[in-house]
Amino acid sequence: MELNDANLQTLTEFLRKTLDPDPTVRRPAEKFLESVEGNQNYPLLLLTLLEKSQENVIRVCAAVTFKNYIKRNWRIVEDEPNKISDADRTAIKANIVNLMLSSPEQIQKQLSDAISIIGREDFPQKWPDLLTEMVTRFRSGDFHIINGVLRTAHSLFKRYRHEFKSNELWTEIKLVLDTFALPLTELFKATIELCQTHANDVNALKVLFSSLTLISKLFYSLNFQDLPEFFEDNMETWMTNFHGLLTLDNKLLQTDDEEEAGLLELLKSQICDNAALYAQKYDEEFQPYLPRFVTAIWNLLVSTGQEVKYDLLVSNAIQFLASVCERPHYKHLFEDQNTLTSICEKVIVPNMEFRSADEEAFEDNSEEYIRRDLEGSDIDTRRRAACDLVRGLCKFFEGPVTAIFSGYVNSMLSEYAKNPGQNWKHKDAAIYLVTSLASKAQTQKHGITQANELVNLTEFFVNHILPDLKSSNVNEFPVLKADAIKYVMIFRSKLPKEQLLQAVPLLITHLQAESTVEHTYAAHALERLFTMRGPNNATLITSAEMAPFTELLLTNLFKALSLPGSAENEYIMKAIMRSFSLLQEAIVPYIPTLIGQLTHKLLLVSKNPSKPHFNHYLFESLCLSVRITCKANPTTVSSFEEALFPVFTEILQNDVQEFLPYVFQVMSLLLEIHSNSIPASYMALFPHLLQPVLWERTGNIPPLVRLLQAFLEKGGASIAASAADKIPGLLGVFQKLIASKANDHQGFYLLNSIIENMPPESITQYRKQIFILLFQRLQSSKTTKFIKSFLVFINLYCVKYGAIALQEIFDSIQPKMFGMVLEKIIIPEVQKVSGTVEKKICAVGITKILTECPAMMDTEYTKLWTPLLQALIGLFELPEDDSIPDDEHFIDIEDTPGYQTAFSQLAFAGRKEHDPIGDAVGNPKILLAQSLHKLSTACPGRVPSMLNTSLNAEALKFLQGYLQGASVQLV
């Protein structure tokens, strides 16, 4: 694509169409942009537009498109096409920093993100001058530019907060510190001075305070891994100024907005984080400063109001106290009973209260409320921080803290009892307090695993939780009902089973509640209860115990999906999946009606898939319906196909990318249930599955390979008879997969199915070419994974076509090739093969080479006979060799960058492990003994003499054991 006006105009038109709400206009435009993104100059055209277009909307759209393009394509992945030419890469890096700094803020943010994505890959090796280019801009004095640099540096360095320690990381951080730490400190001091100079200029202060916040965030990132020498030497400068900023109160920066945190709050929140980092990680060096920070933060907490805008600040301040009170040598700061009472009274209790803002979120923004409350993403809520502080204090002062709070809990509950309608928030706070007091350790899988012995959970459940669950009106006091449900869920491992069983029908009733939070919690609680393990690893709650409630459970779960706000509620869908899994054949009578509801739901969500978890559980539920029903009666598979195929056809025709891997898995599951033939409806689809475009998306590869394997298993012969022209296409897929390090094992899965299931004559003409392709790949890139798969394949070939055929095909490619493969690959590497079935295939294959291949007995290959036998006995007896060479690094499929949905394996569509040899060979060791016996009777005396001269003693001992086991002798 040339950099000219015509192309800029075309691009502008297509970008405008991508903003169109009408999918018939938007989708083709998105597809067009996707199709040209591999062209040279495409990113430069986008950069030109975002710099020069007259329309702001096009500039912003170009900036977002550019950032997403960089996100998808900048990382160079082995075996994947590199869509950005070297010239474009160089031009982007040469211009992007300048462009970012001179752009308006909206565009600056997008370009800043793009720089950090490029930096993640290229900095420092391939972009050494990035930092110096940025640091020189600090001198410009223009804070629009300075903030641009700081924002970019922040997005570049924040990964230091969660990277694992490595020499590479340390080297990079050291380089950053050498270039950046001093200028950052100078800028920090200068900015603070400017704040004093412009103390009365509100506009100047806004810019300066956003700089200070970014500088504080950078401080956190650069100090996270370890305490750098530079910052240790300059701790006085940083800590004195941080302390000054914490206690500063500039009236001009106070905002009237009650929701949105102002600049002052954001800065102070970050400083609390920085102080907590030092208190936790570098407490010895930080000790001189700690008391004044504790005082400042305490004063801050006592004087800050309940408005939402202070939430982040308050929660970070409380987290600071929580991290300090857990450290043994700060214990003395909290020992005094008055201090503890004061913390409980002034910090913890007020921040546990359910505020009107929380009530609004509960009613009007239930999704966000659930995300924060259930999934623990409420890290920055006051309640979570207050909970952590309770936990921290209980570490050293469990008795006194429990005693103080028990008083509060009792008085809150008696307030509630006086007037429930008016005082229900008191009970809510009491339940929250009990929960935070009682829970010491918690996991996602089991809920609370360690509890405070001083709190009687069962008694509290019976007296205060059960009454709310039993109340006849599910819509009264929804917050308390949600609290009660959450209590059951959190303490499920600590409550006796009979109480959980008592709760189940009550939870099923709560699925009908109008409140989204309440019926979501009910679904989630049921799902968690159904996964609990009882004695001997069975589920704690059995299908039989659920029998009285089965119908109501299924009815209410499906009804809940039609409640306002829950049409795509992932918790309800997950509960449906888990109920099917628990109830097993008990659901069969209900499936005819339920499958219709599930397919209808699938049709609706496929129009615009937006909730990945919901969609995943929906497909899992479909798989369970198929599995459970067809296990009882395989002929019902056709009724599932009738229900599902119309929706699947629509998904395939509209190319709904997110759903294709799922559809292929469900189709495999259905096809595998058929007895040995392929229905016409599937045969019609077969040619389409070989289209190259489907194979370009990584997420499609595993399920598509499995689907092709199902086709081959059920009808290799009919494919050979009626679709022989498609065999080259099938082998083309194999060729593409085998060339990729990430997907070569999938290529072998396909090849093994072809060898095992296709009539031999249908692939005779292609066999030699298959082997040549494998050898080319061996020469160009020999990895352990490839070798393991290659060994299984050649042994399967040997089992299927015989040892002579294997030897002949190798030697037809190149004379003496068979010996080279034995010597260089099979003998030294077979120990690496893993997996029971794989080992069995190799054992049977090698046994055939040893005993059914005349060339092994009377040519130059004979010298390899004993080493091969030795390797086979090693495969039986030695531990698996799982060492991997240092220079080898397997690319994880999940690692491939970009927006493509990575392959999502459906647990309930799982494929049974297939053994191509099956019962024909029970014990491969016995087979070896019998085959050697047979060989020795054919050429008497040869076998024992070969064994006695060169097989090592230990191996010989094992072999004698096999011969005894098979009751045979060698002659």
Side-chain angles (χ1 to χ4, degrees):
M1 293 172 87
E2 296 297 312
L3 272 170
N4 57 32
D5 289 347
N7 279 337
L8 285 169
Q9 192 50 45
T10 312
L11 200 52
T12 304
E13 290 313 311
F14 277 104
L15 286 172
R16 185 173 289 115
K17 286 180 183 166
T18 62
L19 302 170
D20 198 300
D22 179 356
T24 56
V25 178
R26 186 178 72 247
R27 285 230 174 102
E30 290 167 348
K31 283 263 186 281
F32 169 78
L33 291 178
E34 207 180 313
S35 71
V36 296
E37 68 176 25
N39 296 355
Q40 191 161 349
N41 291 332
Y42 170 74
L44 305 182
L45 285 164
L46 285 173
L47 288 177
T48 311
L49 279 182
L50 70 85
E51 183 184 14
K52 298 187 171 148
S53 171
Q54 301 303 307
E55 301 172 68
N56 194 40
V57 62
I58 294 296
R59 292 180 69 186
V60 174
C61 184
V64 173
T65 308
F66 175 79
K67 181 194 73 179
N68 289 335
Y69 162 83
I70 293 293
K71 199 172 172 181
R72 281 200 301 272
N73 301 310
W74 192 273
R75 179 189 282 193
I76 298 171
V77 178
E78 208 172 350
D79 309 328
E80 301 271 328
N82 171 8
K83 286 191 175 175
I84 311 181
S85 69
D86 289 346
D88 282 356
R89 285 174 187 270
T90 310
I92 289 169
K93 284 191 284 196
N95 295 309
I96 189 165
V97 175
N98 267 336
L99 244 179
M100 184 267 299
L101 296 175
S102 56
S103 298
E105 194 163 334
Q106 216 179 352
I107 292 171
Q108 194 179 67
K109 282 186 172 152
Q110 300 297 333
L111 291 179
S112 169
D113 284 351
I115 292 174
S116 70
I117 295 164
I118 298 172
R120 180 92 180 77
E121 299 299 321
D122 289 15
F123 173 77
Q125 277 82 10
K126 295 185 192 165
W127 201 357
D129 51 353
L130 169 65
L131 270 196
T132 32
E133 191 181 351
M134 281 164 47
V135 169
T136 49
R137 307 305 166 94
F138 283 165
R139 302 192 199 114
S140 67
D142 175 345
F143 270 85
H144 174 70
I145 291 180
I146 290 172
N147 281 354
V149 172
L150 291 171
R151 199 174 290 119
T152 307
H154 171 52
S155 54
L156 205 54
F157 304 153
K158 69 175 175 216
R159 68 185 179 86
Y160 300 158
R161 301 173 181 196
H162 41 246
E163 290 263 319
F164 285 118
K165 291 184 158 83
S166 68
N167 287 338
E168 208 179 332
L169 182 70
W170 292 99
T171 314
E172 182 181 324
I173 295 178
K174 186 180 179 322
L175 182 108
V176 169
L177 289 165
D178 291 348
T179 320
F180 208 79
L182 180 63
L184 187 71
T185 308
E186 297 302 328
L187 179 69
F188 182 50
K189 292 195 294 201
T191 312
I192 285 180
E193 279 172 26
L194 285 170
C195 288
Q196 285 151 3
T197 317
H198 296 283
N200 299 318
D201 176 352
V202 66
N203 291 330
L205 283 176
K206 279 184 179 167
V207 177
L208 293 167
F209 267 77
S210 48
S211 308
L212 286 171
T213 305
L214 285 164
I215 291 170
S216 304
K217 285 178 192 272
L218 284 164
F219 176 89
Y220 189 85
S221 301
L222 294 175
N223 282 275
F224 190 87
Q225 288 280 343
D226 205 352
L227 177 56
E229 200 178 328
F230 178 88
F231 285 104
E232 192 175 345
D233 295 344
N234 289 275
M235 201 183 291
E236 180 66 34
T237 302
W238 284 93
M239 290 305 156
T240 310
N241 283 314
F242 278 160
H243 182 261
L245 290 168
L246 262 187
T247 49
L248 172 92
D249 191 15
N250 191 315
K251 295 283 176 276
L252 291 177
L253 286 173
Q254 287 180 351
T255 54
D256 297 332
D257 188 338
E258 290 198 357
E259 299 284 320
E260 203 63 42
L263 287 164
L264 207 53
E265 288 80 49
L266 290 173
L267 174 61
K268 288 182 178 185
S269 306
Q270 186 57 48
I271 292 174
C272 288
D273 260 358
N274 295 354
L277 177 75
Y278 266 54
Q280 270 177 319
K281 290 185 119 175
Y282 318 122
D283 44 8
E284 211 173 297
E285 296 84 351
F286 187 57
Q287 231 156 359
Y289 304 95
L290 184 89
R292 68 179 102 156
F293 273 91
V294 171
T295 311
I297 288 173
W298 173 258
N299 291 335
L300 192 72
L301 279 171
V302 180
S303 60
T304 302
Q306 285 280 20
E307 293 81 359
V308 175
K309 67 172 172 182
Y310 299 123
D311 283 6
L312 181 65
L313 173 57
V314 169
S315 72
N316 282 2
I318 297 177
Q319 287 291 2
F320 167 77
L321 287 182
S323 62
V324 173
C325 74
E326 283 187 329
R327 319 292 292 182
H329 50 265
Y330 299 143
K331 197 165 108 175
H332 61 277
L333 295 171
F334 300 89
E335 261 165 348
D336 183 44
Q337 182 75 20
N338 295 336
T339 309
L340 285 175
T341 310
S342 171
I343 290 178
C344 294
E345 190 180 314
K346 295 192 170 136
V347 176
I348 293 171
V349 173
N351 286 301
M352 291 240 173
E353 280 170 17
F354 195 76
R355 300 165 303 169
S356 49
D358 300 316
E359 200 174 345
E360 272 172 39
F362 184 95
E363 286 166 8
D364 305 329
N365 192 359
S366 49
E367 208 166 308
E368 179 59 19
Y369 181 91
I370 292 165
R371 203 171 66 81
R372 288 211 308 239
D373 189 44
L374 258 197
E375 297 172 17
S377 76
D378 64 343
I379 297 304
D380 36 346
T381 65
R382 294 170 180 244
R383 281 191 143 183
R384 166 60 57 96
C387 244
D388 289 347
L389 181 52
V390 172
R391 230 171 260 167
L393 289 169
C394 281
K395 190 168 175 183
F396 294 120
F397 314 108
E398 190 169 54
V401 171
T402 309
I404 294 168
F405 279 138
S406 301
Y408 277 110
V409 169
N410 292 333
S411 75
M412 287 170 177
L413 290 171
S414 60
E415 280 302 306
Y416 165 75
K418 285 179 202 164
N419 184 347
Q422 207 60 51
N423 297 340
W424 61 267
K425 285 186 183 176
H426 288 284
K427 180 166 184 180
D428 167 81
I431 296 175
Y432 211 88
L433 252 179
V434 168
T435 306
S436 61
L437 260 182
S439 41
K440 282 184 172 176
Q442 184 169 8
T443 65
Q444 195 67 43
K445 195 171 174 188
H446 303 292
I448 296 299
T449 52
Q450 264 183 303
N452 178 338
E453 303 303 327
L454 306 171
V455 181
N456 187 332
L457 293 171
T458 310
E459 192 181 298
F460 191 83
F461 174 78
V462 173
N463 295 339
H464 302 289
I465 299 294
L466 256 186
D468 283 343
L469 290 176
K470 284 181 165 169
S471 125
S472 54
N473 180 355
V474 292
N475 294 318
E476 186 185 31
F477 304 137
V479 175
L480 293 183
K481 298 278 200 299
D483 288 340
I485 296 169
K486 193 178 168 196
Y487 185 95
V488 174
M489 189 163 61
I490 286 181
F491 293 113
R492 59 186 183 276
S493 300
K494 295 286 164 201
L495 292 169
K497 179 175 173 178
E498 54 275 18
Q499 293 189 343
L500 297 178
L501 281 173
Q502 205 179 350
V504 166
L506 304 173
L507 292 170
I508 293 173
T509 311
H510 284 278
L511 289 167
Q512 297 173 295
E514 287 162 15
S515 152
T516 308
V517 176
E518 191 183 332
H519 63 243
T520 301
Y521 280 21
H524 187 49
L526 286 164
E527 190 272 329
R528 295 284 79 195
L529 292 181
F530 292 166
T531 54
M532 290 176 73
R533 297 265 170 221
N536 62 35
N537 216 18
T539 52
L540 180 71
I541 295 174
T542 62
S543 180
E545 286 166 327
M546 286 301 297
F549 323 121
T550 297
E551 185 158 347
L552 193 61
L553 170 70
L554 295 172
T555 310
N556 284 2
L557 278 170
F558 276 87
K559 267 192 194 161
L561 285 175
S562 55
L563 290 166
S566 280
E568 292 182 38
N569 185 322
E570 64 184 73
Y571 292 97
I572 299 174
M573 202 67 236
K574 192 176 187 184
I576 289 174
M577 170 191 87
R578 199 69 69 194
S579 303
F580 282 9
S581 173
L582 174 74
L583 296 166
Q584 289 293 326
E585 51 277 4
I587 66 169
V588 172
Y590 306 100
I591 288 297
T593 41
L594 298 182
I595 197 74
Q597 295 178 346
L598 288 170
T599 42
H600 179 65
K601 186 56 86 179
L602 178 58
L603 189 60
L604 292 177
V605 294
S606 69
K607 301 275 187 271
N608 183 20
S610 57
K611 295 277 181 68
H613 287 106
F614 177 86
N615 300 333
H616 187 90
Y617 300 135
L618 172 57
F619 277 103
E620 290 281 22
S621 304
L622 286 167
C623 291
L624 276 163
S625 317
V626 171
R627 276 223 130 125
I628 293 166
T629 315
C630 294
K631 187 177 167 188
N633 178 4
T635 54
T636 52
V637 68
S638 55
S639 56
F640 283 106
E641 287 162 352
E642 275 166 37
L644 290 166
F645 273 23
V647 192
F648 286 179
T649 309
E650 196 158 322
I651 290 171
L652 291 167
Q653 282 169 346
N654 294 332
D655 189 28
V656 185
Q657 293 191 18
E658 297 90 330
F659 281 8
L660 293 184
Y662 290 129
V663 168
F664 297 141
Q665 285 176 85
V666 181
M667 289 187 72
S668 306
L669 180 65
L670 291 164
L671 182 50
E672 285 158 10
I673 291 167
H674 281 274
S675 50
N676 296 327
S677 65
I678 305 179
S681 51
Y682 289 88
M683 262 332 263
L685 183 69
F686 183 67
H688 299 287
L689 300 178
L690 304 174
Q691 288 172 350
V693 60
L694 281 179
W695 294 88
E696 269 160 26
R697 296 184 205 137
T698 356
N700 286 346
I701 291 173
L704 265 178
V705 166
R706 177 182 168 191
L707 183 52
L708 289 178
Q709 284 182 287
F711 269 96
L712 290 161
E713 261 161 52
K714 295 298 172 191
S718 53
I719 290 173
S722 64
D725 56 329
K726 296 293 173 282
I727 295 175
L730 200 55
L731 293 168
V733 169
F734 151 75
Q735 184 174 357
K736 177 181 165 52
L737 294 174
I738 217 77
S740 143
K741 277 189 193 170
N743 297 313
D744 50 17
H745 60 295
Q746 297 285 349
F748 276 111
Y749 292 161
L750 187 58
L751 179 60
N752 293 344
S753 285
I754 292 172
I755 294 296
E756 192 190 336
N757 298 297
M758 295 287 280
E761 64 284 356
S762 67
I763 53 168
T764 310
Q765 56 181 337
Y766 306 109
R767 281 190 217 168
K768 190 168 175 180
Q769 190 52 41
I770 290 172
F771 277 88
I772 290 171
L773 284 171
L774 293 175
F775 280 120
Q776 285 169 344
R777 165 64 211 272
L778 259 177
Q779 277 172 323
S780 68
S781 139
K782 173 180 164 185
T783 64
T784 305
K785 179 161 73 105
F786 185 85
I787 295 269
K788 282 160 78 166
S789 301
F790 180 66
L791 283 168
V792 173
F793 161 69
I794 50 183
N795 283 299
L796 181 69
Y797 188 93
C798 177
V799 172
K800 181 78 181 167
Y801 295 127
I804 298 176
L806 183 70
Q807 177 245 319
E808 284 173 350
I809 197 156
F810 278 135
D811 288 346
S812 71
I813 294 172
Q814 191 185 315
K816 302 191 185 163
M817 173 77 102
F818 182 56
M820 288 192 297
V821 172
L822 286 175
E823 190 176 359
K824 298 279 190 301
I825 298 174
I826 297 184
I827 293 170
E829 305 281 8
V830 75
Q831 206 57 44
K832 292 200 164 121
V833 173
S834 53
T836 323
V837 173
E838 288 79 357
K839 285 183 168 175
K840 184 175 175 184
I841 292 170
C842 289
V844 176
I846 292 174
T847 300
K848 282 181 170 291
I849 295 173
L850 287 166
T851 59
E852 295 175 17
C853 179
M856 288 298 289
M857 295 304 281
D858 46 21
T859 65
E860 69 273 29
Y861 294 155
T862 311
K863 65 176 187 292
L864 298 170
W865 192 89
T866 322
L868 183 61
L869 177 61
Q870 177 103 22
L872 174 56
I873 296 171
L875 178 66
F876 287 143
E877 306 298 344
L878 294 174
E880 186 186 311
D881 170 14
D882 53 6
S883 61
I884 285 179
D886 295 342
D887 56 347
E888 244 180 69
H889 172 67
F890 294 140
I891 312 150
D892 236 358
I893 303 227
E894 269 62 13
D895 262 5
T896 44
Y899 64 102
Q900 297 182 349
T901 38
F903 166 56
S904 300
Q905 176 100 39
L906 289 169
F908 294 110
R911 184 169 182 256
K912 282 204 286 290
E913 188 170 36
H914 169 66
D915 177 358
I917 296 168
D919 299 334
V921 175
N923 180 346
K925 295 177 184 177
I926 302 293
L927 176 77
L928 172 65
Q930 291 165 340
S931 306
L932 285 172
H933 167 69
K934 204 166 150 190
L935 178 69
S936 74
T937 45
C939 39
R942 288 281 307 274
V943 177
S945 77
M946 283 156 79
L947 295 178
N948 295 330
T949 50
S950 48
L951 191 67
N952 83 23
E954 208 179 341
L956 194 55
K957 204 162 126 198
F958 280 123
L959 183 61
Q960 277 155 355
Y962 306 160
L963 291 164
Q964 273 169 353
S967 318
V968 293
Q969 288 177 329
L970 301 179
V971 291

